[in-house]
Amino acid sequence: MIDNGFPLTTEANILREMIAPPNIVSKVLSVVTGNSSNVSDTLPGATGSCIPWRAAEPKYANNEVYVDLVEEMDAVINRDGALVKCEVYGEVQVNSHLSGLPDLTLSFANPSILDDVRFHPCVRFRPWESHQVLSFVPPDGEFKLMSYRIKKLKSTPLYVKPQLTSDAGKCRVNVLVGIRNDPGKTIDSITLEFQLPPCILSADLNSNHGTVNILGNKICSWTIGRIPKDKTPSLSGTLLLETELERLHVFPTFRVGFRIMGVALSGLQIDKLDLKTAPSRLYKGFRALTRAGEFEVRS
C-alpha cells in the first residue's frame, strides 16, 4: 500500500516476520545494547513475492487442511409471531498446514444461494466469476477465506412465544420456548434475555427448566441449555410497576441465543476440496456451526 508516497506493508504474515514478538531474550538485549526496537534489519523473503500472504516454503511432517462453515442467523419476529426477517451471515474459515506452495480448489454444491460475497486476497476472482469455484494459494495457519450472506430464509430452528398482560399495577409474564424445525443436530447453549423497562420496581420470575437471573442493569437472563424431551421450557412470573402506573405501555424485546454444531442452517454445502500436486499423506476435514446473531422476538 502506498500512502502519501510512502510504501507500507500491511500483510500480517510479513509483519510477523519483520517485528519479533517480545520475549525475555529481546528484553535483556535491549538493556545491554540500548536498542529497544524489535524490527528486523532485513526484509522477509515474501515481501517481493506475488503471494505475500504466505511464508516462503514452509515444511510440515503432517500436511492437513480443515474448512469450517461458521454461520450466524439474524431474525426478527413480530408480536404476532410472523417472521419479518431471517438471513444468515457466514464465513468460510480455513486452517491450513501444507508444505511447499499448495494450490487449492474449493467448490460448493449450491453456490447460487450466496449473496454479498467477500474474499481473502489469495482467492483468484476469475474462476469464481466463471464457475463459482474458489481457487487459491492459502496463507499458512488460520484465516478467513470468504464471507457471505444468504437472505430471505423461511424458518428458524426455535420458536419463542411471549405473552404479557398488564393491569392493576402489575404485568404477568409467560414465555414458551421450543423447537420449530428440527435441524437434525442438537440445539444447545439456548439463552433468552430481555431488558426490564425502567418503570419496573421488582420482578418475580421462575422457570420449569434452566436458571433465571436478574442482572444489575435490569436485564433478565434465562439460561436454558438444551430443550428437554419431556417438557416445554417456560418462564412465568409477575413484574411490579411503579405506584402511579396502572399498566405497562412499553413491552420488552426478547433476544435469543443458541448454537448448533454440525449443520449450516443456510443449506450451503461444500462439494469438494482438491489440492494440486498433493503430498503423499494429506488430511482434510470439514465442519459446520450455526449460532444466533441478532435474533429478536418482539412482544
Side-chain angles (χ1 to χ4, degrees):
M1 179 184 294
I2 302 294
D3 182 19
N4 197 29
F6 294 96
L8 305 176
T9 298
T10 58
E11 179 56 50
N13 175 61
I14 296 177
L15 291 174
R16 277 193 293 266
E17 291 190 41
M18 288 179 60
I19 306 170
N23 53 42
I24 296 177
V25 176
S26 64
K27 290 180 180 179
V28 172
L29 288 176
S30 66
V31 172
V32 174
T33 62
N35 182 13
S36 59
S37 175
N38 290 337
V39 180
S40 173
D41 294 330
T42 59
L43 289 175
T47 306
S49 170
C50 60
I51 47 171
W53 55 83
R54 184 169 180 83
E57 297 293 327
K59 294 182 179 181
Y60 295 98
N62 295 321
N63 290 278
E64 52 192 16
V65 56
Y66 301 105
V67 181
D68 291 340
L69 287 180
V70 181
E71 296 188 342
E72 289 189 352
M73 175 173 279
D74 299 335
V76 176
I77 301 171
N78 66 16
R79 61 184 307 171
D80 298 322
L83 190 61
V84 178
K85 183 190 84 168
C86 186
E87 61 184 35
V88 160
Y89 169 80
E91 294 181 354
V92 180
Q93 299 177 358
V94 179
N95 190 0
S96 170
H97 298 284
L98 299 171
S99 302
L101 193 64
D103 199 329
L104 295 172
T105 302
L106 178 68
S107 59
F108 300 100
N110 48 351
S112 60
I113 66 174
L114 297 173
D115 284 322
D116 301 337
V117 292
R118 298 180 65 184
F119 301 111
H120 187 278
C122 69
V123 176
R124 303 180 181 101
F125 186 66
R126 184 165 292 179
W128 175 262
E129 190 177 35
S130 56
H131 304 293
Q132 280 72 55
V133 172
L134 296 175
S135 176
F136 59 98
V137 176
D140 199 38
E142 298 180 2
F143 67 100
K144 181 173 71 174
L145 180 64
M146 69 174 289
S147 64
Y148 58 88
R149 193 174 296 276
I150 298 176
K151 302 176 181 178
K152 297 181 180 179
L153 298 180
K154 301 299 183 182
S155 63
T156 60
L158 296 174
Y159 68 80
V160 178
K161 296 180 179 179
Q163 291 182 342
L164 286 82
T165 56
S166 179
D167 56 22
K170 294 181 180 180
C171 179
R172 287 173 291 279
V173 179
N174 185 47
V175 184
L176 298 177
V177 178
I179 297 177
R180 183 189 301 275
N181 293 298
D182 191 349
K185 298 288 185 179
T186 302
I187 307 176
D188 59 12
S189 302
I190 301 173
T191 60
L192 189 84
E193 287 188 350
F194 64 96
Q195 177 75 52
L196 296 175
C199 60
I200 299 297
L201 292 179
S202 64
D204 182 17
L205 300 171
N206 297 287
S207 67
N208 65 348
H209 181 78
T211 58
V212 180
N213 294 303
I214 307 295
L215 305 180
N217 50 1
K218 278 194 170 184
I219 290 181
C220 177
S221 175
W222 179 21
T223 303
I224 301 173
R226 296 181 180 181
I227 302 290
K229 295 181 179 180
D230 57 342
K231 59 184 175 182
T232 300
S234 66
L235 172 73
S236 59
T238 304
L239 307 178
L240 182 63
L241 309 183
E242 293 178 347
T243 53
E244 62 272 14
L245 288 179
E246 181 69 16
R247 58 192 301 272
L248 189 65
H249 296 283
V250 179
F251 292 96
T253 297
F254 295 84
R255 296 181 298 274
V256 183
F258 63 83
R259 184 184 65 177
I260 310 173
M261 295 292 297
V263 64
L265 288 182
S266 66
L268 183 66
Q269 296 178 350
I270 294 176
D271 184 25
K272 59 182 177 179
L273 175 66
D274 292 329
L275 173 62
K276 297 179 182 178
T277 63
S280 57
R281 281 184 141 187
L282 173 64
Y283 301 96
K284 296 186 288 185
F286 304 96
R287 293 186 304 184
L289 164 68
T290 302
R291 55 180 175 239
E294 296 292 328
F295 196 112
E296 296 183 350
V297 181
R298 295 167 183 170
S299 61

